[in-house]
Amino acid sequence: MSKEAKLELDGKAHTLPVIVGSEGEKALDISSLRADTGCITLDESYGNTGSCTSRITFIDGEKGILRYRGIPIEELAEKSTFIEAAYLIIYGDLPTRDQLRQFSELFTEYQFLHEDMKYHFESFPSGAHPMAILSAMINAASCFDDELMHWRWGKANSQFNIYAAKLMSQVRTIAAYSYRKSRGLPLIYPKRAYKYTANFLHMMFSSPYEDFELRPEVVKALDLIFLLHADHEQNCSTSTVRMVASSQANLFASASAGVCALWGPLHGGANQAVIEMLEEIHREGDDGSKFITAAKDKGSGRKLMGFGHRVYKNYDPRAKIIKRACDDVLSKLHVTDPLLDIAKHLEEAALKDSYFVERKLYPNVDFYSGIIMRSLGIPVEMFPVIFAIGRMPGWIANYKEIMDDPKSRISRPRQIYIGRALNHYVPLEERK
Ligand code: SDX
């Protein structure tokens, strides 16, 4: 593998260093390109542009590989838990028993919101989307913490563990409260005795009279969903978190921005869009064939939601795991869901259809995840929120990677201007 690439421009030769990652990925380092050639590169929507080097997650889109700190997602899904995987993603190694206990204890210590946060919940209209509430309330929660309001790197490093745990813990409480408020239900406080995922289900579904029955298969299924969403290298929302982090804004502000990016139906909002799509197909008595025809027709404005991926040109390994879990969880809960049959039929038909095969469009993480969340009683508008709770460790780890890098600089991409040439102000009375 050559160590540099040669570029010829206007008869002049330039060399660009070649960077090779630990898994053999190759990149041309263009950091000196503008100084050497006066040119920048242009790559709309960053399909071919690396924004950073990172040690957190590795994806091989051609082979359908996903690893958190080198450990395959399949092993973590089978043997680990969300909190253990979160520790691995944030700190780089699987935790010892002691480290895991201390990490867990921080969640318990910081799981309550400031009581005055309740007034913020009052101000949202009942139809407010929980992702709008989540983003707003993550920032609102930071307003009750003087350290976050005066966040300065250097000082913040020593506090980082506390704020990482506080964010992960409180995002769960905020999410559950936003659900309860949207239904006009009294808020349910977290319990000291409950672990992370169980406490979230308790805050979501318990009543003042009796605790929600925490069936092990329900807790485990949701914990798996969180784990599978925990990180995914430089996707749209994680790149947003890194962009905001690079200005040295505080951790909560970065996560709040990440929630907004994740909400879009092309990204974390797709899990909600998939269920809405399957429900529409079910309502119309279609077996999916009509919808697939529409999804192939650019003019229809329809897409097969939950299908396709910028990086995976093979089956998203998370989708495989979730599809298996769907059958397992629904049978354990004695639930049958016609939407699962429709989803499986859609997948089977699409994977035989040249339109999808030629474009290497496969099911992604969002295609089956909504079916499991539905079976757990989670309302569809909360699906992107579940994604956001799961993605918190990844966002925190990416924020930490920037904060710990002494060479980190504010992210500031360039552009190529294609607007009007120089012109001048025209007084109102002279305008036609
Ligand atoms: C997530 O990046 C990540 O890692 C994200 C994520 C994570 O963990 O963070 O994995 C989570 O966001 C998963 C993706 C969820 N979104 C969806 O399921 C929405 C439906 N999918 C598409 O919108 C699309 O596939 C994207 C957004 C996922 C990827 O878009 P790209 O890479 O920009 O691809 P594209 O839109 O340029 O598509 C290439 C071709 C086009 O056709 P042609 O112009 O070549 O004829 O494929 C077609 C597209 O029209 N196409 C689809 C399609 N997805 C792509 N056609 C029909 N249905 C689809 N779902």
Side-chain angles (χ1 to χ4, degrees), residues 8 30-31 45 54 97 104 110 119 180 217 243 287 344 379 395 401:
E8 188 177 321
I30 57 167
S31 44
S45 74
S54 177
R97 199 177 299 281
S104 253
Y110 292 108
Y119 303 113
R180 304 279 302 181
E217 56 270 22
M243 179 70 84
D287 64 358
K344 286 181 175 175
W395 290 346
E401 202 163 57

Side-chain angles (χ1 to χ4, degrees), residues 313-329:
K313 300 309 168 193
N314 199 323
Y315 214 107
D316 182 332
R318 301 166 297 178
K320 269 189 200 152
I321 295 166
I322 292 177
K323 182 180 177 184
R324 272 201 306 275
C326 266
D327 290 327
D328 180 44
V329 172

Side-chain angles (χ1 to χ4, degrees), residues 45 59 228-229 231-238 262 264-271 273-274 292 294-298 302-313 316 318 355-356 359 361 364-367 387 391:
S45 74
I59 298 175
L228 292 172
H229 287 80
D231 192 47
H232 211 243
E233 57 129 281
Q234 300 312 311
N235 55 83
C236 176
S237 51
T238 301
L262 187 69
L266 295 189
H267 190 14
N271 51 26
V274 167
I292 282 186
K296 298 190 300 185
D297 167 10
K298 296 282 183 284
R302 313 307 300 267
K303 283 182 181 286
L304 186 52
M305 300 311 278
F307 251 71
H309 201 277
R310 175 62 58 79
V311 175
Y312 288 123
K313 300 309 168 193
D316 182 332
R318 301 166 297 178
Y355 173 92
F356 295 91
R359 292 168 177 81
L361 303 175
N364 59 51
V365 67
D366 294 303
F367 193 62
F387 193 145
R391 187 52 52 90

Side-chain angles (χ1 to χ4, degrees), residues 124-375:
F124 290 103
S126 57
H129 195 288
M131 285 294 265
I133 298 174
L134 183 64
S135 177
M137 298 299 264
I138 287 173
N139 260 325
S142 73
C143 296
F144 291 91
D145 186 312
D146 202 50
E147 291 278 341
L148 282 172
M149 290 295 101
H150 300 92
W151 182 268
R152 290 292 173 271
W153 284 13
K155 195 159 68 83
N157 295 62
S158 62
Q159 301 280 317
F160 190 82
N161 299 347
I162 303 283
Y163 285 98
K166 190 175 261 194
L167 175 60
M168 275 193 64
S169 193
Q170 292 189 354
V171 74
R172 193 186 33 164
T173 311
I174 292 170
Y177 282 14
S178 64
Y179 165 70
R180 304 279 302 181
K181 282 309 295 168
S182 72
R183 296 295 195 278
L185 298 170
L187 301 183
I188 299 292
Y189 284 53
K191 283 197 164 191
R192 168 173 286 280
Y194 288 167
K195 295 280 181 217
Y196 191 90
T197 303
N199 231 335
F200 173 68
L201 288 164
H202 161 66
M203 290 189 277
M204 282 280 288
F205 300 126
S206 289
S207 85
Y209 301 121
E210 63 178 343
D211 281 359
F212 175 69
E213 185 201 359
L214 290 167
R215 295 174 60 176
E217 56 270 22
V218 170
V219 178
K220 186 163 174 33
L222 184 56
D223 201 77
L224 174 65
I225 293 282
F226 285 151
L227 185 151
L228 292 172
H229 287 80
D231 192 47
H232 211 243
E233 57 129 281
Q234 300 312 311
N235 55 83
C236 176
S237 51
T238 301
S239 299
T240 301
V241 168
R242 284 184 84 108
M243 179 70 84
V244 176
S246 76
S247 73
Q248 302 191 6
N250 74 58
L251 177 64
F252 280 50
S254 289
S256 173
V259 170
C260 294
L262 187 69
W263 189 4
L266 295 189
H267 190 14
N271 51 26
Q272 177 175 354
V274 167
I275 293 297
E276 289 163 356
M277 170 187 77
L278 295 174
E279 283 176 334
E280 180 191 332
I281 292 171
H282 185 50
R283 254 195 324 274
E284 291 181 358
D286 174 21
D287 64 358
S289 324
K290 272 196 314 192
F291 194 90
I292 282 186
T293 307
K296 298 190 300 185
D297 167 10
K298 296 282 183 284
S300 73
R302 313 307 300 267
K303 283 182 181 286
L304 186 52
M305 300 311 278
F307 251 71
H309 201 277
R310 175 62 58 79
V311 175
Y312 288 123
K313 300 309 168 193
N314 199 323
Y315 214 107
D316 182 332
R318 301 166 297 178
K320 269 189 200 152
I321 295 166
I322 292 177
K323 182 180 177 184
R324 272 201 306 275
C326 266
D327 290 327
D328 180 44
V329 172
L330 269 65
S331 69
K332 279 184 182 151
L333 297 177
H334 308 300
V335 166
T336 50
D337 187 344
L339 301 192
L340 179 56
D341 301 333
I342 294 174
K344 286 181 175 175
H345 175 82
L346 274 175
E347 177 192 344
E348 194 187 330
L351 296 186
K352 283 191 283 206
D353 185 304
S354 59
Y355 173 92
F356 295 91
V357 173
E358 283 158 13
R359 292 168 177 81
K360 298 185 178 176
L361 303 175
Y362 291 88
N364 59 51
V365 67
D366 294 303
F367 193 62
Y368 287 105
S369 57
I371 306 263
I372 290 194
M373 292 192 268
R374 238 162 86 92
S375 73

